[in-house]
Amino acid sequence: MKILKTSDELITHMKIKGIKFEIVKEEDAKIFLQNNNYYMKLASYRANYDKRKSNSKYINLDFAYLQELSTIDMHLRYLILQMCLDIEHAVKTRLLKDIEDNSEEDGYDIIRRFVTKYERSCRNIQKHKSSEYCRELIEKYYPYFPAWVFVELISFGDLVKLYEYYIERYPGRLKDSELLYSIRDLRNATAHSNCLINKLQKGTNKPSVKIIKFVSNIDGIG
């Protein structure tokens, strides 16, 4: 099987699949593929369009539609990533505030208990000991981290585990962690530039009932 390499070969392949070059001409598509995007990502948006059963060619699909979806997806990823970072910051802030207000905690004991259960979190921190951004913190505190240092060094995934561990140990003090794993997955997908809107078929995903109720109470949203 021949591997598609050049932009000309990719365009020929897309034409065979029924993708048109009427709105965006072939020469402009070639420039876009060379400088702005790559085939695998761009082609993934084809999943949003129907094919003819007779020849498996796409119906009324122009290269321009794939190009526009890739651009929309880029802006959506930037927006969602910013939202996820804001949520991550809010989770850290609320967790640390509750630890500070918790008379049963000194900020060290909860971390000692956590890393005893999840040793991998410390190993993950050690992987970043050469980083200019966190080396000094790791050298100063490892392995006896206070909570306010620990949350600066761990991944969002380990932060979710720490949050979950804390609310299990001290029930009722903070909101549950039901949605945090979904946010972690979204954050990772956007940070790694994964496609978000390459499959928009109706009914593939359903939001949490909590989200539906929350959004329905926002003025102006039906």
Side-chain angles (χ1 to χ4, degrees):
M1 182 178 178
K2 185 178 179 181
I3 299 175
L4 299 173
K5 292 182 179 180
T6 70
S7 298
D8 289 328
E9 288 176 324
L10 291 173
I11 288 172
T12 299
H13 178 72
M14 285 188 275
K15 290 170 70 176
I16 292 172
K17 294 292 186 180
I19 299 173
K20 301 175 182 179
F21 293 84
E22 297 174 355
I23 300 173
V24 171
K25 303 305 179 185
E26 289 184 32
E27 191 58 36
D28 293 328
K30 180 179 177 181
I31 294 172
F32 184 80
L33 285 170
Q34 290 174 338
N35 300 310
N36 299 95
N37 214 312
Y38 48 91
Y39 176 73
M40 183 176 177
K41 180 179 285 292
L42 193 77
S44 70
Y45 301 106
R46 296 180 304 178
N48 293 312
Y49 296 90
D50 295 326
K51 292 181 179 180
R52 291 186 178 88
K53 292 182 179 179
S54 59
N55 57 14
S56 295
K57 290 188 176 183
Y58 289 96
I59 303 171
N60 297 324
L61 173 55
D62 194 285
F63 181 88
Y65 306 155
L66 302 177
Q67 181 177 320
E68 188 69 8
L69 280 176
S70 72
T71 302
I72 292 171
D73 206 355
M74 175 193 69
H75 289 294
L76 179 62
R77 287 196 304 272
Y78 291 165
L79 176 63
I80 290 178
L81 180 58
Q82 183 60 59
M83 293 168 68
C84 290
L85 290 173
D86 289 344
I87 291 170
E88 182 177 5
H89 178 75
V91 169
K92 290 178 180 180
T93 302
R94 293 189 181 186
L95 177 60
L96 292 176
K97 179 65 167 61
D98 200 81
I99 291 174
E100 179 185 341
D101 295 340
N102 188 344
S103 60
E104 297 180 51
E105 273 298 338
D106 61 2
Y108 285 84
D109 185 62
I110 187 69
I111 303 304
R112 283 196 296 269
R113 292 175 181 274
F114 177 77
V115 297
T116 299
K117 184 175 182 179
Y118 298 102
E119 294 180 6
R120 186 178 61 85
S121 61
C122 265
R123 292 198 298 270
N124 289 340
I125 288 175
Q126 277 289 70
K127 293 177 183 178
H128 302 290
K129 63 182 179 181
S130 61
S131 169
E132 288 293 328
Y133 303 102
C134 53
R135 184 181 66 241
E136 291 183 3
L137 285 177
I138 296 173
E139 289 177 349
K140 182 176 181 179
Y141 291 102
Y142 188 88
Y144 304 110
F145 297 103
W148 49 91
V149 171
F150 192 69
V151 299
E152 292 298 310
L153 300 173
I154 57 177
S155 66
F156 193 7
D158 283 340
L159 174 64
V160 174
K161 287 182 180 178
L162 175 61
Y163 184 92
E164 199 168 50
Y165 180 80
Y166 183 81
I167 60 178
E168 286 175 0
R169 186 166 177 79
Y170 302 107
R173 295 188 64 92
L174 292 170
K175 298 287 186 180
D176 66 60
S177 60
E178 178 186 340
L179 302 177
L180 290 181
Y181 284 104
S182 296
I183 295 167
R184 177 204 60 186
D185 293 343
L186 260 179
R187 182 190 186 280
N188 291 342
T190 54
H192 290 93
S193 196
N194 296 150
C195 298
L196 300 182
I197 57 173
N198 58 327
K199 292 183 180 179
L200 293 174
Q201 290 89 346
K202 183 178 179 181
T204 52
N205 289 290
K206 291 186 178 181
S208 162
V209 173
K210 288 185 178 182
I211 294 176
I212 294 174
K213 289 181 178 179
F214 178 82
V215 173
S216 68
N217 289 325
I218 300 175
D219 291 339
I221 297 180

